[in-house]
Amino acid sequence: MRARYHGEPISQAEAKSLPKALPGAKPTFNFMFGDLSGDPDNRLPEGQATIDALRALGMAMANDPSGAESGIPAAYTYFGQFIDHDITKTVFDESLQPPNGPDPIEAASFQPIPIGDVVKLIQNARTAPLDLDSLFGGPAEETVQADGKMRLGQVSQAPFGTIPTTDKGHDLPRRPMIVNPTTIEEQEADRQALIGDPRNDENLLVAQTHVGFLRAFNAKLSSGLNPDEARTAIRRRYQWAVLHDFLPRIGDKSTVDEVLQHGATVWKVPYAEDLFMPIEFAAAAYRFGHSMIRGGYSHNSTFNPDGIPASFNFFFTFTALSGDIQPGNGPDFQFETLPDNWVIEWHRFFGSDANLASINPARRIDANLTPELGLLRDFQGMPIVSIMAHLAARNLLRGYLLGLPTGQAVAAKLGLTPLSPDVLRAATPTGIGRTIEDAGLLERTPLWFYVLAEAGDPDGSDGQHLGPVGTRIIAETLWNLAKHASDSVIDNPPTQAELDSGEFTLKGIIRLGLDASLPPIA
């Protein structure tokens, strides 16, 4: 079957590329706060009561139909996912998860990995630096054409609602359709996206972000740069956008400013060979973006609240990673590529001077998730019946499995006053407060939940951005990943003239390759 979501077994095709991605015997994951997790008092209490409480908490978190919004344009929700897929993908050792086997957290009762074994039993299938190997590496190398441009997928004719474009290159490049694939190899090859990380085909919005970067790269080639120069140009714009566009929008301003001005001070990585992916970042803090996901979007002039709704499940099943490229349950082989009525209209996803949050503001960053994240489907659109249907429960149980330090332990390590039990109690979904208290999770709180509760604190960030703990972990990680990336903008920042071009933001990158017939981005 195809590659699956969030640390589940990778595809056979991906497995063949792992030796290129994983840098030898050194651990590719490690703890940012290595001295914390060694003390059991700094981790969650072990036992079935904790597992049961985490399951209950995770299932209850996706019960907020309010759709309360932040001031962050929705483009940054999926830019955040694009960044994640460039830098981290967890692969469990076969002793934890045999090939095509269930996730370790699906067991009715499971034990945390012994803390001394964690870094030995998980690997990162991506190169950690912000080098866009997800855009330029792996199967994407097959798409390079004679002129150096990267091939784009051509959209298919839809029966209604076509979005007019100047050209048809608005899908990911794909292998041909295989009707009724029977073997695993055929299932994986059927309309496989030829991109560095197949997860960028797991939902339409991150796929369209990837297409936007491909179009920007091709536009730089058309401007007269050679392929190496164009890759450098896009990497530099991407890194700057991560640090100076994305990070200030989602992070606590004073913390972000300190890191951008003075560099990482808590997690210092002087040499590239010492770089690893912090588990606190990958398994907890950076998963804050799940709370930003909306239940539906104003996607284009065909699919929007005033026309045909563009619901969450459309975006997560309208993808070739499912073998469908067609909404609805079960296999459907109608379209060989993305239908042309699903081309994104980017101006709907960016803010403007008149409407800073855009037509599609992201949800508040807090401990409430859209209900659709508790009703996840597989890649053929069928409802998942196990705990894997609940994204919040996955995150919480993974943190327990990997022995993450508690939010209170990290806050104390950073010299910050931990959140009060009252703040954490207020962030806890209605109906499970006693379960959480009895399990001791108000005093020893899962790091991911703590980061979200901190962000949602009405007396703090009030859902508009992360708080100081979440920001510190994310800002220092992204700074180090930019510092040790190819074409690093930290070592060689853009000139003022380059910044004045407007190309060193996410909006500027997308604008580079924007189809001339689509509405302009303000």
Side-chain angles (χ1 to χ4, degrees), residues 375-410:
L375 301 167
L376 295 181
R377 297 169 180 260
D378 66 21
F379 285 132
Q380 288 191 342
M382 303 302 292
I384 298 172
V385 296
S386 72
I387 194 66
M388 303 302 286
H390 303 274
L391 186 56
R394 294 187 194 184
N395 291 344
L396 293 166
L397 292 168
R398 287 273 175 77
Y400 175 72
L401 176 75
L402 297 174
L404 285 177
T406 65
Q408 289 87 349
V410 172

Side-chain angles (χ1 to χ4, degrees), residues 156-276:
S156 298
Q157 179 66 50
F160 66 91
T162 291
I163 303 300
T165 56
T166 300
D167 65 78
K168 296 298 182 182
H170 291 276
D171 190 20
L172 297 169
R174 302 187 182 283
R175 300 195 191 281
M177 181 175 71
I178 299 174
V179 178
N180 297 323
T182 56
T183 67
I184 291 177
E185 290 78 9
E186 286 182 342
Q187 291 172 7
E188 290 181 358
D190 174 31
R191 287 164 290 181
Q192 177 196 7
L194 296 172
I195 55 179
D197 191 306
R199 294 172 300 170
N200 281 354
D201 194 26
E202 77 183 8
N203 75 68
L204 182 59
L205 293 177
V206 74
Q208 290 285 278
T209 302
H210 193 110
V211 170
F213 271 77
L214 290 175
R215 293 180 66 93
F217 170 77
N218 287 349
K220 278 299 177 185
L221 276 175
S222 295
S223 74
L225 301 184
N226 66 41
D228 285 341
E229 292 170 336
R231 280 189 287 271
T232 292
I234 296 301
R235 283 194 190 103
R236 286 168 50 75
R237 283 153 179 77
Y238 165 63
Q239 292 168 20
W240 193 264
V242 170
L243 295 179
H244 295 272
D245 184 17
F246 174 74
L247 192 53
R249 291 178 188 272
I250 59 94
D252 168 70
K253 185 179 187 305
S254 62
T255 306
V256 170
D257 288 349
E258 180 187 334
V259 173
L260 293 181
Q261 291 172 19
H262 304 293
T265 57
V266 174
W267 183 45
K268 298 179 181 180
V269 185
Y271 304 107
E273 54 266 29
D274 297 324
L275 189 67
F276 56 82

Side-chain angles (χ1 to χ4, degrees), residues 29 85 94 151 210 344 361 396 398 438 498:
F29 279 105
H85 294 174
E94 290 187 5
R151 178 165 62 85
H210 193 110
I344 192 171
L396 293 166
R398 287 273 175 77
D438 289 349
E498 286 181 305

Side-chain angles (χ1 to χ4, degrees), residues 22 26 43 67 99 111 202 232 239 269 275 280 301 343 352 364 367 399 465 482 484 490 512:
L22 302 176
K26 294 192 67 168
R43 303 195 301 268
Q111 299 295 320
E202 77 183 8
T232 292
Q239 292 168 20
V269 185
L275 189 67
E280 297 91 335
S301 57
V343 173
S352 66
R364 283 169 46 94
H465 55 76
H484 298 295
I490 292 176
L512 279 171

Side-chain angles (χ1 to χ4, degrees), residues 467-483:
V469 169
T471 302
R472 177 65 64 178
I473 295 171
I474 290 170
E476 296 221 356
T477 299
L478 293 177
W479 189 91
N480 278 302
L481 301 188
K483 169 68 175 175

Side-chain angles (χ1 to χ4, degrees), residues 52-342:
D52 292 343
L54 295 176
R55 284 199 178 101
L57 176 59
M59 294 172 70
M61 286 175 69
N63 279 331
D64 177 27
S66 70
E69 296 169 342
S70 71
I72 304 171
Y76 293 90
T77 304
Y78 296 93
F79 185 44
Q81 188 178 28
F82 180 85
I83 296 165
D84 176 59
H85 294 174
D86 182 44
I87 60 179
T88 180
K89 181 173 183 179
T90 305
V91 179
F92 289 129
D93 185 85
E94 290 187 5
S95 64
L96 292 174
Q97 186 173 29
N100 297 319
D103 193 283
I105 67 170
E106 292 187 77
S109 177
F110 65 90
Q111 299 295 320
I113 301 171
I115 202 65
D117 294 337
V118 171
V119 300
K120 303 173 187 176
L121 296 177
I122 57 174
Q123 295 181 341
N124 189 3
R126 301 250 48 90
T127 58
L130 291 167
D131 57 7
L132 283 177
D133 67 305
S134 61
L135 190 73
F136 298 122
E141 296 172 1
E142 301 178 34
T143 71
V144 178
Q145 302 174 104
D147 61 359
K149 290 184 178 179
M150 301 182 77
R151 178 165 62 85
L152 293 161
Q154 303 295 298
V155 290
S156 298
Q157 179 66 50
F160 66 91
T162 291
I163 303 300
T165 56
T166 300
D167 65 78
K168 296 298 182 182
H170 291 276
D171 190 20
L172 297 169
R174 302 187 182 283
R175 300 195 191 281
M177 181 175 71
I178 299 174
V179 178
N180 297 323
T182 56
T183 67
I184 291 177
E185 290 78 9
E186 286 182 342
Q187 291 172 7
E188 290 181 358
D190 174 31
R191 287 164 290 181
Q192 177 196 7
L194 296 172
I195 55 179
D197 191 306
R199 294 172 300 170
N200 281 354
D201 194 26
E202 77 183 8
N203 75 68
L204 182 59
L205 293 177
V206 74
Q208 290 285 278
T209 302
H210 193 110
V211 170
F213 271 77
L214 290 175
R215 293 180 66 93
F217 170 77
N218 287 349
K220 278 299 177 185
L221 276 175
S222 295
S223 74
L225 301 184
N226 66 41
D228 285 341
E229 292 170 336
R231 280 189 287 271
T232 292
I234 296 301
R235 283 194 190 103
R236 286 168 50 75
R237 283 153 179 77
Y238 165 63
Q239 292 168 20
W240 193 264
V242 170
L243 295 179
H244 295 272
D245 184 17
F246 174 74
L247 192 53
R249 291 178 188 272
I250 59 94
D252 168 70
K253 185 179 187 305
S254 62
T255 306
V256 170
D257 288 349
E258 180 187 334
V259 173
L260 293 181
Q261 291 172 19
H262 304 293
T265 57
V266 174
W267 183 45
K268 298 179 181 180
V269 185
Y271 304 107
E273 54 266 29
D274 297 324
L275 189 67
F276 56 82
M277 176 55 61
I279 300 172
E280 297 91 335
F281 172 93
Y286 198 68
R287 296 183 178 229
F288 79 93
H290 293 156
S291 71
M292 297 169 66
I293 295 172
R294 296 169 58 96
Y297 294 86
S298 179
H299 183 67
N300 59 26
S301 57
T302 300
F303 296 101
N304 59 72
D306 297 323
I308 302 171
S311 69
F312 171 91
N313 277 322
F314 267 147
F315 288 112
F316 273 76
T317 60
F318 214 99
T319 161
L321 199 60
S322 66
D324 285 358
I325 317 188
Q326 167 70 14
N329 296 341
D332 189 320
F333 301 102
Q334 180 175 353
F335 295 110
E336 294 189 28
T337 64
L338 182 73
D340 58 15
N341 58 1
W342 278 98

